[in-house]
Amino acid sequence: MLALRRSGVSSIELFQKQQAIPVTGRLDEATKERLLPYLLGYETVTLRPGDSFWTLSREYGSTLEAISAANPTLDPRNLQVGTKVTVPLGFPLVPTDVPMTSRLSRLILRGLEARYPFLERRVLTVTAFGRPMEMVQIGTGPRKAIYSASHHANEWITTTVLLAFLEDYAKAVAQGRRIGGYDARELAKTTTLYMVPMVDPDGVDLVTGAISPKNPQYEYARRLGARYPEIPFPSGWKANLLGVDLNLNYPALWEEAKKIKYAQGYNRPGPRDFVGDAPLDQRESKALWELTRKLNPELVLAYHSQGRVIYWKFQDLFVPGARELGETFSARSGYALEDTPYSSSFAGYKDWFIQDFRRPGYTIEVGEGENPLPLSQFPRIYSNNLGILTTGLAQ
């Protein structure tokens, strides 16, 4: 229905009439096929006699800049009939007013890759329930940074934050503009960004309703959740669908995390705080661990919610420049720079990164209130974090 809103129609029936397909009033396969360009944000057009980038921009509500960026190998002064052209549609691709799902995230990444071919996308792993965990790369610089989000299922708003930044950043690179006070093309020449926008696609789909109560996966999770009746289901779900908290599954004093969480009663798979049976025994955490080891990045940012706070330390390990960069992040965002609370200070992704790489790693807790945060907070969250996201690339 997001696509119907974007296309400016009020009902499935009207959309079907406009598209000259059978009017069934249902979201059937023919309708889904015609809706897909509105979700991907582009049409693939075969050039006809008289077509030009200008005529296509008028016909599809696009711009010359957008079409040129999406087709860098085509000479607009020498277009050949029969050539296929990617035509971005005239709206931002990342919706900030609907809950995020794994499928929506995948469609957005596909659409952004089409609009900005300098992006590179690949699947890091597939979850136990068949959902891909994806990464997208932007930039060519020698310095490397990894930004990740939705380590916890009910913190899915962080995926929207990263995807919105990716779209704004890619557009600024394509158009030679500034973002967050920096020249976007210079950032891309300085730093290669590897973004993992949804670490826990199974859990996110459970929380945001993409997994129907009729789906056996929902019933499986509900049974795990019944072990902890005080935790609301599914809104209180933080874990992956196997009931393991992915941000307690890294080899950074994992045994200490296990001791703490078991003492709190989280000693078996459930909605939150179960550390797993061993470090990296989950596909998602192992995939991010492997990516980080392979890339050897200078910086990692792990996005979570909530609290408007930045955590920057692991134990008493000294990381050159970490406090100073954290203070810059704090100044640009208005978030407090703090030590991680003891009960949450083990076995996390940034904990392991600091431990093994001795480089700056941060957990950014966005927003305020109870997870999942309402999308009404998104504008403020994005405004607060744009400075962090761009400064992280500029260092």
Side-chain angles (χ1 to χ4, degrees), residues 67-152:
I67 298 175
S68 296
N71 301 276
T73 62
L74 297 182
D75 181 352
R77 296 164 298 183
N78 188 30
L79 297 175
Q80 304 299 314
V81 172
T83 300
K84 293 190 181 299
V85 177
T86 299
V87 181
L89 303 180
F91 52 79
L93 192 53
V94 181
T96 60
D97 57 354
V98 296
M100 186 54 62
T101 68
S102 66
R103 182 171 184 269
L104 181 55
S105 176
R106 293 197 303 273
L107 290 169
I108 289 168
L109 291 179
R110 281 178 58 191
L112 289 176
E113 188 179 38
R115 289 186 177 200
Y116 308 106
F118 51 81
L119 298 180
E120 297 181 31
R121 176 177 60 96
R122 69 183 177 91
V123 174
L124 296 179
T125 191
V126 176
T127 71
F129 293 87
R131 293 176 181 85
M133 173 182 162
E134 292 191 296
M135 181 205 74
V136 62
Q137 174 183 338
I138 178 172
T140 58
R143 182 174 174 273
K144 298 174 183 177
I146 298 176
Y147 293 177
S148 57
S150 289
H151 295 255
H152 290 141

Coordinates of all heavy atoms in Angstrom, one line a residue, residues 67-152:
I67 N 18.5 10.6 -14.1 CA 18.6 9.6 -15.2 C 20.1 9.5 -15.6 O 20.6 8.4 -15.9 CB 17.7 10.0 -16.4 CG1 16.3 10.1 -16.0 CG2 18.0 9.1 -17.6 CD1 15.3 10.6 -17.1
S68 N 20.8 10.6 -15.7 CA 22.2 10.5 -16.0 C 23.0 9.7 -15.0 O 23.9 8.9 -15.3 CB 22.8 12.0 -16.1 OG 22.2 12.7 -17.2
A69 N 22.7 10.0 -13.7 CA 23.4 9.2 -12.6 C 23.1 7.7 -12.7 O 24.0 6.9 -12.4 CB 23.0 9.8 -11.3
A70 N 21.9 7.4 -13.1 CA 21.6 5.9 -13.2 C 22.1 5.2 -14.4 O 22.1 4.0 -14.5 CB 20.0 5.8 -13.1
N71 N 22.6 6.0 -15.4 CA 23.0 5.5 -16.7 C 24.4 6.1 -17.1 O 24.5 6.7 -18.1 CB 22.0 5.7 -17.8 CG 20.6 5.1 -17.4 OD1 20.3 4.0 -17.7 ND2 19.7 6.0 -16.9
P72 N 25.4 5.9 -16.3 CA 26.7 6.5 -16.5 C 27.4 6.1 -17.8 O 28.2 6.8 -18.3 CB 27.5 6.2 -15.3 CG 26.9 4.9 -14.8 CD 25.4 5.0 -15.1
T73 N 27.0 5.0 -18.3 CA 27.7 4.5 -19.6 C 27.0 5.0 -20.8 O 27.5 4.8 -21.9 CB 27.7 3.0 -19.6 OG1 26.4 2.5 -19.6 CG2 28.5 2.4 -18.4
L74 N 25.9 5.7 -20.7 CA 25.1 6.2 -21.9 C 25.5 7.6 -22.2 O 25.6 8.5 -21.2 CB 23.6 6.0 -21.7 CG 23.1 4.6 -21.6 CD1 21.6 4.6 -21.4 CD2 23.5 3.7 -22.7
D75 N 25.6 8.0 -23.4 CA 25.9 9.3 -23.9 C 24.5 9.9 -24.3 O 23.9 9.5 -25.3 CB 26.8 9.4 -25.1 CG 27.1 10.8 -25.6 OD1 26.5 11.7 -25.1 OD2 28.0 10.9 -26.5
P76 N 24.0 10.9 -23.5 CA 22.6 11.4 -23.8 C 22.5 12.1 -25.2 O 21.4 12.3 -25.7 CB 22.4 12.4 -22.7 CG 23.8 12.8 -22.1 CD 24.6 11.5 -22.3
R77 N 23.7 12.4 -25.8 CA 23.7 13.0 -27.1 C 23.7 12.0 -28.2 O 23.6 12.3 -29.4 CB 24.8 14.0 -27.2 CG 24.8 15.2 -26.3 CD 26.2 15.8 -26.2 NE 27.2 14.9 -25.6 CZ 28.4 15.2 -25.4 NH1 28.9 16.4 -25.6 NH2 29.3 14.3 -24.9
N78 N 23.8 10.7 -27.8 CA 24.0 9.7 -28.9 C 23.2 8.4 -28.4 O 23.8 7.3 -28.3 CB 25.4 9.4 -29.1 CG 25.6 8.4 -30.3 OD1 24.8 8.4 -31.2 ND2 26.7 7.6 -30.2
L79 N 21.9 8.6 -28.1 CA 21.1 7.4 -27.7 C 20.6 6.6 -28.9 O 20.2 7.2 -29.9 CB 19.9 8.0 -26.9 CG 20.3 8.7 -25.6 CD1 19.0 9.3 -24.9 CD2 21.0 7.8 -24.6
Q80 N 20.6 5.3 -28.7 CA 20.2 4.4 -29.8 C 18.8 3.8 -29.5 O 18.6 3.4 -28.3 CB 21.2 3.3 -29.9 CG 22.6 3.8 -30.2 CD 22.7 4.6 -31.5 OE1 22.2 4.2 -32.5 NE2 23.4 5.8 -31.4
V81 N 17.9 3.8 -30.4 CA 16.6 3.1 -30.3 C 16.8 1.7 -29.9 O 17.7 1.0 -30.4 CB 15.8 3.2 -31.6 CG1 14.5 2.4 -31.5 CG2 15.5 4.7 -31.9
G82 N 16.1 1.2 -28.9 CA 16.2 -0.1 -28.4 C 17.0 -0.3 -27.2 O 17.0 -1.3 -26.5
T83 N 17.8 0.8 -26.8 CA 18.6 0.8 -25.6 C 17.8 0.8 -24.4 O 16.8 1.5 -24.3 CB 19.6 2.0 -25.6 OG1 20.4 1.9 -26.8 CG2 20.5 1.9 -24.4
K84 N 18.1 0.0 -23.4 CA 17.4 0.1 -22.1 C 18.0 1.1 -21.2 O 19.2 1.2 -21.0 CB 17.4 -1.3 -21.4 CG 16.6 -2.4 -22.2 CD 16.5 -3.7 -21.4 CE 15.7 -4.7 -22.2 NZ 14.4 -4.3 -22.5
V85 N 17.1 1.9 -20.6 CA 17.5 3.0 -19.8 C 16.8 2.9 -18.4 O 15.6 2.6 -18.4 CB 17.1 4.4 -20.4 CG1 17.4 5.5 -19.5 CG2 17.8 4.6 -21.8
T86 N 17.5 3.1 -17.4 CA 17.0 3.1 -16.0 C 16.5 4.5 -15.7 O 17.3 5.5 -15.8 CB 18.0 2.7 -15.0 OG1 18.5 1.3 -15.2 CG2 17.5 2.7 -13.6
V87 N 15.2 4.6 -15.4 CA 14.6 5.9 -15.2 C 14.1 6.0 -13.7 O 13.1 5.4 -13.3 CB 13.4 6.2 -16.1 CG1 12.9 7.6 -15.8 CG2 13.9 6.1 -17.5
P88 N 14.9 6.7 -12.8 CA 14.4 6.8 -11.4 C 13.1 7.6 -11.4 O 12.9 8.6 -12.1 CB 15.6 7.6 -10.8 CG 16.8 7.3 -11.6 CD 16.2 7.2 -13.0
L89 N 12.2 7.2 -10.5 CA 10.9 7.9 -10.4 C 11.1 9.1 -9.4 O 12.1 9.1 -8.6 CB 9.9 6.9 -9.9 CG 9.6 5.7 -10.8 CD1 8.5 4.8 -10.3 CD2 9.3 6.2 -12.2
G90 N 10.2 10.0 -9.4 CA 10.4 11.3 -8.8 C 10.0 11.3 -7.3 O 9.3 12.2 -6.9
F91 N 10.5 10.4 -6.5 CA 10.3 10.5 -5.1 C 11.5 9.8 -4.3 O 12.2 9.0 -4.9 CB 9.0 9.8 -4.7 CG 8.9 8.3 -5.2 CD1 9.5 7.3 -4.6 CD2 8.1 8.0 -6.3 CE1 9.4 6.0 -5.0 CE2 8.0 6.7 -6.8 CZ 8.7 5.7 -6.1
P92 N 11.7 10.3 -3.1 CA 12.7 9.6 -2.3 C 12.4 8.1 -2.1 O 11.2 7.7 -1.9 CB 12.7 10.3 -0.9 CG 12.0 11.6 -1.3 CD 11.1 11.4 -2.3
L93 N 13.4 7.3 -2.1 CA 13.2 5.9 -2.1 C 12.9 5.3 -0.7 O 12.1 4.4 -0.5 CB 14.4 5.1 -2.8 CG 14.2 3.7 -3.1 CD1 13.0 3.4 -4.0 CD2 15.4 3.2 -3.8
V94 N 13.5 5.9 0.3 CA 13.4 5.4 1.6 C 12.2 6.0 2.3 O 12.2 7.2 2.6 CB 14.7 5.7 2.5 CG1 14.6 5.1 3.9 CG2 15.9 5.1 1.8
P95 N 11.2 5.2 2.7 CA 10.0 5.7 3.4 C 10.4 5.9 4.9 O 11.0 5.0 5.5 CB 9.0 4.7 3.2 CG 9.7 3.4 3.1 CD 11.0 3.7 2.4
T96 N 10.0 7.0 5.4 CA 10.2 7.2 6.8 C 8.9 7.3 7.6 O 8.9 7.8 8.8 CB 11.0 8.6 7.0 OG1 10.3 9.6 6.5 CG2 12.4 8.5 6.3
D97 N 7.9 6.8 7.0 CA 6.6 6.9 7.7 C 5.9 5.5 7.8 O 4.7 5.4 8.1 CB 5.6 7.9 7.0 CG 5.4 7.6 5.5 OD1 6.1 6.6 5.0 OD2 4.6 8.3 4.9
V98 N 6.6 4.4 7.5 CA 6.1 3.1 7.6 C 7.1 2.2 8.3 O 8.3 2.4 8.2 CB 5.7 2.5 6.2 CG1 4.6 3.2 5.5 CG2 6.9 2.4 5.3
P99 N 6.7 1.1 9.0 CA 7.6 0.3 9.7 C 8.5 -0.4 8.6 O 8.1 -0.8 7.5 CB 6.7 -0.7 10.4 CG 5.4 0.0 10.6 CD 5.3 0.8 9.3
M100 N 9.8 -0.7 9.0 CA 10.7 -1.3 8.2 C 10.5 -2.8 8.2 O 10.1 -3.4 9.3 CB 12.2 -1.0 8.6 CG 13.3 -1.5 7.7 SD 13.1 -1.0 6.0 CE 13.2 0.8 6.1
T101 N 10.8 -3.5 7.1 CA 10.8 -5.0 7.1 C 12.0 -5.4 6.3 O 12.6 -4.6 5.6 CB 9.5 -5.5 6.4 OG1 9.6 -5.2 5.0 CG2 8.2 -5.0 7.0
S102 N 12.3 -6.7 6.3 CA 13.5 -7.2 5.6 C 13.2 -7.0 4.1 O 14.1 -6.7 3.3 CB 13.8 -8.6 6.0 OG 12.8 -9.5 5.6
R103 N 12.0 -7.3 3.6 CA 11.7 -7.2 2.2 C 11.8 -5.7 1.7 O 12.4 -5.5 0.7 CB 10.4 -7.8 1.8 CG 10.1 -7.7 0.3 CD 8.8 -8.5 0.0 NE 8.6 -8.5 -1.5 CZ 7.9 -7.6 -2.1 NH1 7.3 -6.6 -1.5 NH2 7.8 -7.7 -3.4
L104 N 11.3 -4.8 2.5 CA 11.4 -3.4 2.2 C 12.8 -3.0 2.1 O 13.2 -2.2 1.2 CB 10.6 -2.6 3.1 CG 10.5 -1.1 2.9 CD1 10.0 -0.8 1.5 CD2 9.7 -0.4 3.9
S105 N 13.6 -3.4 3.1 CA 15.0 -3.1 3.0 C 15.7 -3.6 1.8 O 16.5 -2.9 1.1 CB 15.7 -3.6 4.3 OG 17.1 -3.4 4.3
R106 N 15.4 -4.8 1.4 CA 16.0 -5.4 0.2 C 15.6 -4.6 -1.1 O 16.4 -4.3 -1.9 CB 15.6 -6.8 0.0 CG 16.2 -7.7 1.1 CD 16.2 -9.2 0.7 NE 14.9 -9.7 0.4 CZ 14.0 -10.1 1.3 NH1 14.3 -10.2 2.6 NH2 12.8 -10.6 0.9
L107 N 14.3 -4.2 -1.1 CA 13.8 -3.5 -2.3 C 14.5 -2.1 -2.4 O 14.9 -1.6 -3.4 CB 12.3 -3.3 -2.2 CG 11.5 -4.6 -2.5 CD1 10.0 -4.3 -2.1 CD2 11.6 -5.0 -3.9
I108 N 14.7 -1.5 -1.2 CA 15.3 -0.2 -1.2 C 16.8 -0.3 -1.7 O 17.2 0.5 -2.5 CB 15.3 0.4 0.3 CG1 13.9 0.8 0.6 CG2 16.2 1.6 0.4 CD1 13.7 1.2 2.1
L109 N 17.5 -1.3 -1.2 CA 18.9 -1.5 -1.6 C 18.9 -1.8 -3.1 O 19.8 -1.2 -3.8 CB 19.5 -2.6 -0.8 CG 19.8 -2.3 0.6 CD1 20.4 -3.5 1.3 CD2 20.7 -1.0 0.8
R110 N 18.0 -2.6 -3.6 CA 18.0 -2.8 -5.1 C 17.7 -1.5 -5.9 O 18.4 -1.2 -6.9 CB 16.9 -3.8 -5.4 CG 17.3 -5.3 -5.2 CD 16.1 -6.2 -5.5 NE 15.6 -6.0 -6.9 CZ 14.5 -6.6 -7.4 NH1 13.7 -7.3 -6.6 NH2 14.2 -6.4 -8.7
G111 N 16.8 -0.7 -5.3 CA 16.4 0.5 -6.0 C 17.6 1.5 -6.0 O 17.9 2.2 -7.0
L112 N 18.2 1.6 -4.8 CA 19.4 2.6 -4.7 C 20.5 2.1 -5.6 O 21.2 3.0 -6.2 CB 19.8 2.7 -3.3 CG 18.9 3.4 -2.3 CD1 19.4 3.3 -0.9 CD2 18.7 4.8 -2.7
E113 N 20.7 0.8 -5.7 CA 21.8 0.3 -6.6 C 21.5 0.7 -8.0 O 22.4 1.0 -8.8 CB 21.9 -1.2 -6.4 CG 23.1 -1.8 -7.1 CD 23.2 -3.3 -6.9 OE1 22.1 -3.9 -6.8 OE2 24.3 -3.8 -6.7
A114 N 20.2 0.7 -8.4 CA 19.9 1.0 -9.8 C 20.0 2.5 -10.0 O 20.5 3.0 -11.1 CB 18.4 0.6 -10.1
R115 N 19.6 3.3 -9.0 CA 19.7 4.8 -9.2 C 21.2 5.2 -9.1 O 21.5 6.2 -9.8 CB 19.0 5.5 -8.0 CG 17.5 5.4 -8.1 CD 16.8 6.2 -7.0 NE 15.3 6.1 -7.1 CZ 14.5 7.0 -6.6 NH1 15.0 8.0 -5.9 NH2 13.2 6.9 -6.7
Y116 N 22.0 4.6 -8.4 CA 23.4 5.0 -8.2 C 24.3 3.7 -8.4 O 24.7 3.0 -7.4 CB 23.6 5.5 -6.8 CG 22.6 6.6 -6.4 CD1 21.5 6.4 -5.6 CD2 22.7 7.9 -7.0 CE1 20.6 7.4 -5.3 CE2 21.8 8.9 -6.8 CZ 20.8 8.7 -5.9 OH 19.8 9.6 -5.6
P117 N 24.7 3.5 -9.6 CA 25.4 2.3 -9.9 C 26.8 2.1 -9.3 O 27.4 1.1 -9.3 CB 25.5 2.3 -11.5 CG 24.4 3.2 -11.9 CD 24.3 4.2 -10.8
F118 N 27.3 3.2 -8.7 CA 28.5 3.1 -8.0 C 28.4 2.4 -6.6 O 29.4 2.2 -5.9 CB 29.2 4.5 -7.8 CG 28.3 5.6 -7.2 CD1 28.0 5.7 -5.9 CD2 27.6 6.5 -8.0 CE1 27.2 6.6 -5.3 CE2 26.8 7.5 -7.5 CZ 26.6 7.5 -6.2
L119 N 27.1 2.2 -6.2 CA 26.9 1.3 -5.0 C 27.1 -0.1 -5.4 O 26.9 -0.6 -6.5 CB 25.5 1.5 -4.5 CG 25.1 2.9 -4.0 CD1 23.6 2.8 -3.6 CD2 26.0 3.4 -2.9
E120 N 27.6 -0.9 -4.4 CA 27.8 -2.4 -4.6 C 27.1 -3.1 -3.5 O 27.3 -2.8 -2.3 CB 29.3 -2.7 -4.6 CG 30.1 -2.1 -5.8 CD 31.5 -2.6 -5.8 OE1 31.8 -3.7 -5.3 OE2 32.4 -1.8 -6.2
R121 N 26.3 -4.0 -3.8 CA 25.4 -4.7 -2.8 C 25.7 -6.2 -2.9 O 25.9 -6.8 -4.0 CB 24.0 -4.5 -3.1 CG 23.0 -5.2 -2.3 CD 21.5 -4.7 -2.7 NE 21.3 -5.0 -4.1 CZ 20.6 -6.1 -4.5 NH1 20.2 -7.0 -3.6 NH2 20.4 -6.3 -5.8
R122 N 25.8 -6.9 -1.7 CA 25.9 -8.3 -1.7 C 25.3 -8.9 -0.4 O 25.1 -8.2 0.6 CB 27.3 -8.8 -1.9 CG 28.3 -8.5 -0.7 CD 29.7 -8.9 -1.1 NE 30.7 -8.6 -0.1 CZ 31.0 -9.4 0.9 NH1 30.4 -10.6 1.0 NH2 32.0 -9.1 1.8
V123 N 25.0 -10.2 -0.5 CA 24.5 -10.9 0.7 C 25.6 -11.5 1.5 O 26.5 -12.2 1.0 CB 23.5 -12.0 0.2 CG1 23.1 -12.9 1.4 CG2 22.3 -11.4 -0.6
L124 N 25.6 -11.2 2.8 CA 26.6 -11.7 3.7 C 26.3 -13.1 4.2 O 27.2 -13.9 4.3 CB 26.7 -10.8 4.9 CG 27.2 -9.4 4.7 CD1 27.3 -8.6 6.0 CD2 28.6 -9.4 4.0
T125 N 25.0 -13.3 4.5 CA 24.6 -14.7 4.9 C 23.1 -14.7 4.7 O 22.4 -13.8 4.4 CB 24.9 -15.0 6.3 OG1 24.7 -16.3 6.6 CG2 24.1 -14.1 7.3
V126 N 22.5 -15.9 4.9 CA 21.1 -16.2 4.9 C 20.7 -16.7 6.3 O 21.4 -17.6 6.7 CB 20.7 -17.1 3.8 CG1 19.2 -17.4 3.8 CG2 21.0 -16.5 2.4
T127 N 19.7 -16.2 6.9 CA 19.4 -16.6 8.2 C 18.8 -18.0 8.2 O 18.6 -18.6 7.2 CB 18.3 -15.7 8.8 OG1 17.0 -15.9 8.2 CG2 18.7 -14.2 8.7
A128 N 18.7 -18.5 9.4 CA 18.1 -19.9 9.6 C 16.7 -20.0 9.0 O 16.3 -21.1 8.7 CB 18.1 -20.3 11.1
F129 N 16.0 -18.9 8.8 CA 14.7 -18.9 8.3 C 14.6 -18.3 6.9 O 13.6 -18.0 6.4 CB 13.7 -18.1 9.2 CG 13.5 -18.8 10.5 CD1 14.4 -18.6 11.6 CD2 12.5 -19.7 10.7 CE1 14.2 -19.2 12.8 CE2 12.3 -20.3 11.9 CZ 13.2 -20.1 13.0
G130 N 15.8 -18.2 6.2 CA 15.8 -17.9 4.8 C 15.9 -16.5 4.4 O 15.7 -16.2 3.2
R131 N 16.1 -15.5 5.3 CA 16.1 -14.1 4.9 C 17.6 -13.7 4.8 O 18.4 -13.9 5.6 CB 15.4 -13.3 6.0 CG 13.9 -13.5 6.1 CD 13.2 -12.7 7.2 NE 11.8 -13.0 7.2 CZ 11.3 -14.1 7.8 NH1 12.0 -14.9 8.5 NH2 10.0 -14.3 7.8
P132 N 17.8 -13.0 3.7 CA 19.2 -12.5 3.4 C 19.6 -11.4 4.4 O 18.8 -10.5 4.6 CB 19.2 -12.1 2.0 CG 17.8 -11.9 1.6 CD 17.0 -12.7 2.5
M133 N 20.8 -11.4 4.8 CA 21.4 -10.3 5.5 C 22.4 -9.6 4.6 O 23.4 -10.2 4.1 CB 22.1 -10.8 6.8 CG 22.9 -9.8 7.6 SD 23.8 -10.6 8.9 CE 25.0 -9.4 9.4
E134 N 22.1 -8.4 4.2 CA 22.8 -7.7 3.1 C 23.7 -6.6 3.6 O 23.6 -6.1 4.6 CB 21.8 -7.1 2.1 CG 20.9 -8.1 1.4 CD 20.1 -7.5 0.3 OE1 19.2 -6.7 0.6 OE2 20.4 -7.9 -0.9
M135 N 24.7 -6.4 2.7 CA 25.7 -5.3 2.9 C 25.7 -4.4 1.6 O 25.5 -5.0 0.5 CB 27.0 -5.8 3.2 CG 28.1 -4.8 3.4 SD 29.8 -5.4 3.0 CE 29.7 -5.4 1.2
V136 N 25.9 -3.1 1.8 CA 26.1 -2.3 0.6 C 27.3 -1.4 0.8 O 27.6 -1.0 2.0 CB 24.8 -1.4 0.4 CG1 24.6 -0.4 1.5 CG2 24.9 -0.6 -0.9
Q137 N 28.1 -1.2 -0.2 CA 29.3 -0.5 -0.2 C 29.2 0.8 -1.0 O 28.7 0.8 -2.1 CB 30.4 -1.4 -0.8 CG 31.8 -0.8 -0.9 CD 32.8 -1.8 -1.5 OE1 32.6 -3.0 -1.5 NE2 33.8 -1.3 -2.1
I138 N 29.8 1.9 -0.5 CA 29.8 3.1 -1.2 C 31.2 3.8 -0.9 O 31.6 3.8 0.2 CB 28.7 4.0 -0.8 CG1 28.8 5.4 -1.6 CG2 28.5 4.2 0.7 CD1 27.5 6.3 -1.4
G139 N 31.8 4.3 -1.9 CA 33.1 5.0 -1.8 C 34.2 4.1 -2.3 O 34.1 2.9 -2.5
T140 N 35.4 4.8 -2.5 CA 36.6 4.1 -3.0 C 37.8 4.4 -2.2 O 38.9 4.1 -2.6 CB 36.8 4.6 -4.5 OG1 37.0 6.0 -4.5 CG2 35.7 4.2 -5.4
G141 N 37.6 5.1 -1.1 CA 38.8 5.5 -0.3 C 39.5 4.4 0.4 O 38.9 3.3 0.7
P142 N 40.8 4.6 0.7 CA 41.6 3.6 1.4 C 41.1 3.3 2.9 O 41.3 2.2 3.4 CB 43.0 4.2 1.3 CG 42.8 5.6 1.3 CD 41.5 5.8 0.5
R143 N 40.6 4.3 3.5 CA 40.1 4.1 4.9 C 38.8 3.4 4.8 O 37.9 3.6 3.9 CB 39.9 5.5 5.5 CG 39.5 5.4 7.0 CD 39.5 6.8 7.6 NE 38.9 6.8 8.9 CZ 37.6 7.0 9.2 NH1 36.8 7.1 8.2 NH2 37.2 6.9 10.4
K144 N 38.5 2.5 5.8 CA 37.3 1.7 5.8 C 36.5 1.9 7.1 O 37.1 2.0 8.1 CB 37.6 0.2 5.6 CG 38.4 -0.1 4.3 CD 38.8 -1.6 4.3 CE 39.6 -1.9 3.0 NZ 40.1 -3.3 3.0
A145 N 35.2 1.9 6.9 CA 34.3 2.1 8.1 C 33.1 1.1 7.9 O 32.7 0.9 6.7 CB 33.8 3.5 8.3
I146 N 32.6 0.5 9.0 CA 31.4 -0.3 8.9 C 30.4 0.3 9.8 O 30.6 0.6 11.0 CB 31.7 -1.7 9.4 CG1 32.7 -2.4 8.6 CG2 30.4 -2.6 9.5 CD1 33.1 -3.8 9.1
Y147 N 29.2 0.6 9.2 CA 28.0 1.1 9.9 C 27.0 -0.1 9.9 O 26.7 -0.6 8.8 CB 27.4 2.3 9.3 CG 28.2 3.6 9.3 CD1 27.8 4.7 8.7 CD2 29.5 3.6 10.0 CE1 28.5 5.9 8.7 CE2 30.2 4.8 10.0 CZ 29.7 5.9 9.3 OH 30.5 7.1 9.3
S148 N 26.4 -0.4 11.1 CA 25.4 -1.5 11.1 C 24.2 -1.0 12.0 O 24.4 -0.1 12.8 CB 26.1 -2.7 11.7 OG 26.6 -2.4 13.0
A149 N 23.1 -1.7 11.8 CA 21.9 -1.3 12.5 C 21.0 -2.6 12.7 O 21.2 -3.6 12.1 CB 21.1 -0.3 11.7
S150 N 20.0 -2.4 13.5 CA 19.0 -3.5 13.8 C 19.7 -4.8 14.3 O 19.4 -5.8 13.8 CB 18.1 -3.7 12.6 OG 17.2 -2.7 12.4
H151 N 20.7 -4.6 15.2 CA 21.2 -5.8 15.9 C 20.1 -6.4 16.7 O 20.1 -7.6 17.0 CB 22.4 -5.4 16.8 CG 23.6 -4.9 16.0 ND1 24.7 -5.6 15.9 CD2 23.8 -3.7 15.4 CE1 25.6 -5.0 15.2 NE2 25.1 -3.8 14.9
H152 N 19.2 -5.6 17.2 CA 18.0 -6.0 18.0 C 16.7 -5.7 17.2 O 16.5 -4.7 16.6 CB 18.0 -5.2 19.3 CG 19.1 -5.6 20.2 ND1 19.7 -4.7 21.0 CD2 19.6 -6.8 20.5 CE1 20.6 -5.4 21.8 NE2 20.6 -6.6 21.4

